[in-house]
Tab-separated table of all heavy atoms in Angstrom:
chain	number	residue	atom	x	y	z
M	14	PRO	N	18.772	-8.328	8.538
M	14	PRO	CA	20.191	-8.576	8.251
M	14	PRO	C	20.811	-7.445	7.444
M	14	PRO	O	20.137	-6.770	6.670
M	14	PRO	CB	20.171	-9.865	7.425
M	14	PRO	CG	18.843	-10.500	7.698
M	14	PRO	CD	17.907	-9.369	8.020
M	15	ALA	N	22.105	-7.246	7.614
M	15	ALA	CA	22.820	-6.146	6.955
M	15	ALA	C	22.719	-6.222	5.437
M	15	ALA	O	22.585	-5.210	4.770
M	15	ALA	CB	24.287	-6.153	7.380
M	16	GLU	N	22.767	-7.440	4.848
M	16	GLU	CA	22.704	-7.538	3.392
M	16	GLU	C	21.362	-7.083	2.851
M	16	GLU	O	21.280	-6.566	1.754
M	16	GLU	CB	23.037	-8.954	2.904
M	16	GLU	CG	22.068	-10.037	3.308
M	16	GLU	CD	22.391	-10.674	4.652
M	16	GLU	OE1	23.292	-10.205	5.338
M	16	GLU	OE2	21.713	-11.650	5.009
M	17	GLN	N	20.278	-7.241	3.616
M	17	GLN	CA	18.982	-6.757	3.173
M	17	GLN	C	18.943	-5.241	3.215
M	17	GLN	O	18.339	-4.605	2.372
M	17	GLN	CB	17.860	-7.323	4.031
M	17	GLN	CG	17.588	-8.782	3.757
M	17	GLN	CD	16.442	-9.306	4.587
M	17	GLN	OE1	15.929	-8.631	5.476
M	17	GLN	NE2	16.028	-10.518	4.309
M	18	ALA	N	19.586	-4.641	4.192
M	18	ALA	CA	19.588	-3.190	4.322
M	18	ALA	C	20.316	-2.537	3.153
M	18	ALA	O	20.022	-1.413	2.780
M	18	ALA	CB	20.230	-2.781	5.646
M	19	THR	N	21.281	-3.252	2.550
M	19	THR	CA	22.034	-2.669	1.446
M	19	THR	C	21.393	-2.935	0.098
M	19	THR	O	21.829	-2.412	-0.909
M	19	THR	CB	23.479	-3.214	1.429
M	19	THR	OG1	23.427	-4.632	1.275
M	19	THR	CG2	24.218	-2.840	2.704
M	20	ALA	N	20.371	-3.761	0.057
M	20	ALA	CA	19.713	-4.090	-1.208
M	20	ALA	C	18.215	-3.843	-1.090
M	20	ALA	O	17.430	-4.775	-1.090
M	20	ALA	CB	19.997	-5.545	-1.581
M	21	PRO	N	17.808	-2.568	-0.998
M	21	PRO	CA	16.386	-2.288	-0.828
M	21	PRO	C	15.574	-2.755	-2.028
M	21	PRO	O	16.020	-2.691	-3.161
M	21	PRO	CB	16.338	-0.765	-0.687
M	21	PRO	CG	17.588	-0.278	-1.331
M	21	PRO	CD	18.602	-1.365	-1.134
M	22	GLY	N	14.378	-3.250	-1.734
M	22	GLY	CA	13.496	-3.681	-2.795
M	22	GLY	C	13.722	-5.115	-3.244
M	22	GLY	O	12.944	-5.649	-4.011
M	23	LEU	N	14.800	-5.732	-2.765
M	23	LEU	CA	15.090	-7.094	-3.186
M	23	LEU	C	14.630	-8.124	-2.178
M	23	LEU	O	14.789	-9.302	-2.390
M	23	LEU	CB	16.601	-7.256	-3.430
M	23	LEU	CG	17.188	-6.375	-4.529
M	23	LEU	CD1	18.680	-6.599	-4.644
M	23	LEU	CD2	16.506	-6.648	-5.853
M	24	SER	N	14.065	-7.688	-1.080
M	24	SER	CA	13.616	-8.627	-0.063
M	24	SER	C	12.166	-8.346	0.289
M	24	SER	O	11.611	-7.318	-0.063
M	24	SER	CB	14.503	-8.506	1.170
M	24	SER	OG	14.393	-7.203	1.713
M	25	SER	N	11.568	-9.286	0.989
M	25	SER	CA	10.187	-9.139	1.439
M	25	SER	C	10.134	-9.307	2.940
M	25	SER	O	10.968	-9.977	3.532
M	25	SER	CB	9.296	-10.194	0.787
M	25	SER	OG	9.232	-9.998	-0.598
M	26	VAL	N	9.131	-8.719	3.527
M	26	VAL	CA	8.901	-8.832	4.956
M	26	VAL	C	7.478	-9.300	5.148
M	26	VAL	O	6.560	-8.815	4.485
M	26	VAL	CB	9.093	-7.461	5.658
M	26	VAL	CG1	8.866	-7.583	7.148
M	26	VAL	CG2	10.464	-6.885	5.361
M	27	SER	N	7.284	-10.262	6.024
M	27	SER	CA	5.939	-10.722	6.319
M	27	SER	C	5.247	-9.672	7.180
M	27	SER	O	5.841	-9.114	8.094
M	27	SER	CB	6.006	-12.054	7.061
M	27	SER	OG	4.706	-12.505	7.349
M	28	LEU	N	3.990	-9.398	6.878
M	28	LEU	CA	3.240	-8.361	7.570
M	28	LEU	C	1.878	-8.904	7.955
M	28	LEU	O	1.190	-9.494	7.132
M	28	LEU	CB	3.081	-7.138	6.650
M	28	LEU	CG	2.262	-5.973	7.155
M	28	LEU	CD1	2.999	-5.273	8.293
M	28	LEU	CD2	2.000	-5.004	6.022
M	29	GLU	N	1.517	-8.711	9.194
M	29	GLU	CA	0.196	-9.115	9.659
M	29	GLU	C	-0.523	-7.857	10.106
M	29	GLU	O	0.027	-7.044	10.844
M	29	GLU	CB	0.323	-10.078	10.829
M	29	GLU	CG	-0.995	-10.608	11.319
M	29	GLU	CD	-0.821	-11.633	12.424
M	29	GLU	OE1	0.135	-12.420	12.369
M	29	GLU	OE2	-1.648	-11.618	13.335
Side-chain angles (χ1 to χ4, degrees):
E16 65 272 6
Q17 287 182 352
T19 60
L23 298 178
S24 62
S25 295
V26 181
S27 180
L28 177 69
E29 183 176 323

